[in-house]
Amino acid sequence: ARRHSLWSLTAGERLRYGAAVGAMAIGTLFLLAEPLVIKRAIDALGEGRASLWGTLIPAALGVVGLHSLHGLFTYLRARWAAEASEGIVRGLRRHLYSHLERLPAAYHDQADTGDLVQRCSSDVETVRIFMAGQVVEIVRVSLMFGVAVPYMLWQDLRMSGLSLTLLPLIVLFAILFFRRVRSLFKQVDEA
């Protein structure tokens, strides 16, 4: 039987995934711009070069506008990622059905029906969930880390270093957690 890689399954849907990643990147930039608006407003008020209402109203409108744009691009990201994952899963289901249909009857006599149903329903749904949410989320976290950390370091090296000292501990606990959860999910799946 010919095996398909995750990359080959995305054929025909890569443009939608690219659009989803692009929308997510733009939305993330709007989200990262919010502290800059607040910082400018606070700095202007602290230095006494702006009035309270002349600074707070535009800053509040800026924050609302940035959140609105972030929400719009988050919606577009979710929609395009969901459409792409549905297209991928549709192709995967067709491939599975075609493969099962070509197998000899003797195979179906010996095969565990529950295992076949599991592969064609639950496992395919797991692929869909991964493709709809996790792929784009991995890119989002990478982008946040790649943009936010250099910006933090540029703003204040000492405070950034202090806040990043917890990162190895967080990664360690995440690895331990996912190892534990993976074994539990495997037990549930086999049951």
Side-chain angles (χ1 to χ4, degrees), residues 27-185:
T28 300
L29 292 176
F30 284 126
L31 190 63
L32 291 174
E34 178 193 329
L36 297 176
V37 171
I38 295 170
K39 178 186 181 299
R40 286 190 65 193
I42 291 172
D43 289 348
L45 288 172
E47 295 169 2
R49 53 187 171 97
S51 69
L52 183 65
W53 294 109
T55 303
L56 287 182
I57 298 296
L61 291 173
V63 167
V64 169
L66 289 170
H67 271 289
S68 299
L69 290 168
H70 174 257
L72 170 68
F73 283 99
T74 299
Y75 165 77
L76 292 173
R77 175 204 66 167
R79 179 182 175 128
W80 290 332
E83 288 173 351
S85 69
E86 288 296 331
I88 291 166
V89 166
R90 187 179 320 112
L92 181 59
R93 285 186 179 127
R94 284 184 189 138
H95 172 72
L96 277 171
Y97 181 77
S98 174
H99 179 74
L100 287 171
E101 200 173 40
R102 285 190 311 258
L103 290 172
Y107 172 83
H108 290 289
D109 290 341
Q110 301 298 320
D112 181 12
T113 307
D115 187 49
L116 291 176
V117 170
Q118 172 78 10
R119 299 259 180 242
C120 292
S121 58
S122 179
D123 289 359
V124 170
E125 181 65 11
T126 301
V127 169
R128 186 195 67 77
I129 290 170
F130 174 74
M131 298 301 288
Q134 303 310 313
V135 170
V136 176
E137 195 62 25
I138 289 167
V139 175
R140 185 188 75 79
V141 169
S142 301
L143 181 70
M144 287 288 279
F145 194 74
V147 171
V149 170
Y151 181 73
M152 286 171 46
L153 292 168
W154 177 65
Q155 287 291 313
D156 189 333
L157 189 62
R158 196 185 71 186
M159 291 298 288
S160 298
L162 185 62
S163 66
L164 292 175
T165 57
L166 292 177
L167 193 61
L169 191 62
I170 293 169
V171 170
L172 174 69
F173 279 118
I175 290 169
L176 294 174
F177 173 78
F178 285 114
R179 282 187 180 163
R180 174 80 175 132
V181 169
R182 182 177 49 196
S183 66
L184 291 174
F185 271 111

